[in-house]
Amino acid sequence: MAKVIGGYSLPNMPWQDKPSDCTDPVWRYSENPILTRKDCKGSNSVFNSAVIPYKDGYIGVFRCDTMELWPTLHVGTSKDGIHWNIKDEKIDFIPFEGGKVPNYGYDPRITEIDGRYYIVFCTNFENFGDTIGMAYTDDFESFHMMEYPTLYYNRNGVLFPRKIGDNYALLTRPGAPGHCLLGNICYSESPDLKYWGKHRALIRVTQGWQRVKVGGGPTPIETDEGWLLLYHGVTEMCNGLIYAVGGAILDRDDPSKVLYRTRDKIMTPEALYERVGDVGNVVFPCATLCDKDTGRIAMYYGAADTCVGVAFTTVDELVSYIKEHSM
């Protein structure tokens, strides 16, 4: 059995047992979607959001697109991880010295390192194009921007929850048109969260459900088998793009090494709220809650770029599936 390293105790984590007729490695919460546009005042949609345990409950940063279709980030709180109160006011980031306040933000991930919470999200780099923004907060009241870890174009920034040796580690997905790494997950390290290097191509596009592009998902979960990484893969069909979920196991001491990677997808759009929306046929994972004692996982994902759903699994279930279906 795979053992979770570090992590959280989540006695009140939402959980439903695997249905007897389910043969997939993940299963959906029966009351999905848990968040829709009605949960954030003046929003067109709520999706692709991140949550984390906080105090006696949970807290999150939620993507809430305005009725103008402008992506904004909002703080939300919950006692049980299912029922959320999202603040009407968007996050106002405090710029770093010489920097500017980002005029939009979307697809956040949250990672706690040594009691500080880091928000990694997509934003605008000096009006040139999309890039990865990084900010920190100690109280989810004040959010301080940090230096940009990448130039444009880049998305899907995912920070590891501890240092690798002496360095912090980050996953990115360069996306400049014509770039040789377009659509591939890359790995970088930094001694101080300011200067980044040791860049490596990590997970490349391949065939089938992940042949157009791939991108990092939630903060990786450390296990004794390696870092458990969920990611999204995209393929193109005659009626458009389809976003599905896959998984990989990375080496614990050197996450730039992929030990296993799924040939088969773990989750694909099936439910109506995943197939019909502003962007149909999308399941896009941004966060997991993992109980260190039981290995139970609640995965939060954006559905059809319109709402938020939850799916359940376990560390054992995912590790076994990834190893058995590795390419």
Side-chain angles (χ1 to χ4, degrees):
M1 295 178 62
K3 179 181 178 182
V4 178
I5 307 298
Y8 303 91
S9 293
L10 305 172
N12 298 317
M13 185 179 74
W15 179 258
Q16 290 181 342
D17 290 328
K18 187 174 185 177
S20 59
D21 61 346
C22 178
T23 58
D24 297 326
V26 302
W27 52 98
R28 291 161 177 80
Y29 177 54
S30 62
E31 301 301 318
N32 275 347
I34 65 164
L35 287 168
T36 66
R37 55 175 290 187
K38 66 180 177 60
D39 294 295
C40 188
K41 183 179 179 181
S43 291
N44 170 78
S45 48
V46 181
F47 61 107
N48 296 4
S49 303
V51 305
I52 198 166
Y54 186 71
K55 295 183 177 179
D56 60 347
Y58 303 95
I59 203 161
V61 174
F62 295 85
R63 173 177 178 172
C64 303
D65 286 11
T66 68
M67 294 300 289
E68 185 188 5
L69 291 184
W70 195 253
T72 60
L73 298 178
H74 298 245
V75 172
T77 57
S78 174
K79 290 291 186 181
D80 60 6
I82 294 294
H83 303 92
W84 290 88
N85 295 310
I86 300 178
K87 291 184 177 181
D88 294 339
E89 304 79 16
K90 69 179 180 67
I91 294 173
D92 288 323
F93 292 96
I94 300 169
F96 57 83
E97 184 176 356
K100 300 178 180 178
V101 176
N103 56 3
Y104 62 81
Y106 61 93
D107 298 358
R109 279 77 165 177
I110 304 175
T111 303
E112 180 188 1
I113 303 177
D114 298 331
R116 173 162 283 180
Y117 298 88
Y118 295 90
I119 320 301
V120 186
F121 58 100
C122 189
T123 188
N124 182 275
F125 180 81
E126 304 292 348
N127 295 319
F128 285 109
D130 286 352
T131 192
I132 294 171
M134 187 178 294
Y136 73 85
T137 182
D138 297 317
D139 55 12
F140 286 90
E141 297 290 339
S142 299
F143 292 81
H144 303 264
M145 286 296 297
M146 303 165 66
E147 293 282 353
Y148 294 100
T150 65
L151 291 169
Y152 63 96
Y153 294 88
N154 216 311
R155 295 185 180 183
N156 299 311
V158 182
L159 190 63
F160 282 72
R162 68 164 175 84
K163 288 184 176 181
I164 306 301
D166 295 327
N167 293 331
Y168 299 93
L170 180 73
L171 302 179
T172 65
R173 205 282 306 283
H179 196 287
C180 62
L181 290 176
L182 174 63
N184 299 289
I185 300 174
C186 297
Y187 173 89
S188 302
E189 291 189 2
S190 168
D192 55 7
L193 292 172
K194 185 175 182 179
Y195 298 102
W196 292 89
K198 198 178 177 181
H199 308 297
R200 303 285 189 273
L202 185 69
I203 296 178
R204 298 176 182 268
V205 294
T206 179
Q207 61 189 13
W209 63 274
Q210 48 189 335
R211 66 184 176 89
V212 173
K213 55 185 175 179
V214 290
T219 299
I221 298 169
E222 188 174 7
T223 78
D224 58 354
E225 296 268 359
W227 292 99
L228 175 58
L229 173 68
L230 294 172
Y231 66 93
H232 65 267
V234 183
T235 192
E236 187 172 21
M237 306 293 278
C238 60
N239 64 337
L241 300 177
I242 298 177
Y243 282 69
V245 181
I249 300 174
L250 313 179
D251 188 90
R252 279 185 68 198
D253 299 320
D254 183 2
S256 69
K257 296 178 180 178
V258 179
L259 304 181
Y260 303 94
R261 173 189 175 185
T262 46
R263 175 188 67 251
D264 301 336
K265 54 194 174 184
I266 290 172
M267 182 180 182
T268 196
E270 294 180 2
L272 182 63
Y273 57 86
E274 298 164 351
R275 298 183 66 86
V276 178
D278 284 356
V279 181
N281 294 315
V282 175
V283 286
F284 191 95
C286 278
T288 54
L289 297 176
C290 180
D291 187 272
K292 69 177 183 180
D293 298 320
T294 64
R296 291 175 172 177
I297 294 173
M299 180 185 75
Y300 294 74
Y301 65 96
D305 279 15
T306 303
C307 56
V308 175
V310 172
F312 299 106
T313 185
T314 67
V315 169
D316 278 339
E317 189 106 28
L318 285 182
V319 168
S320 294
Y321 186 89
I322 292 168
K323 294 172 73 172
E324 291 172 7
H325 297 81
S326 184
M327 61 178 58

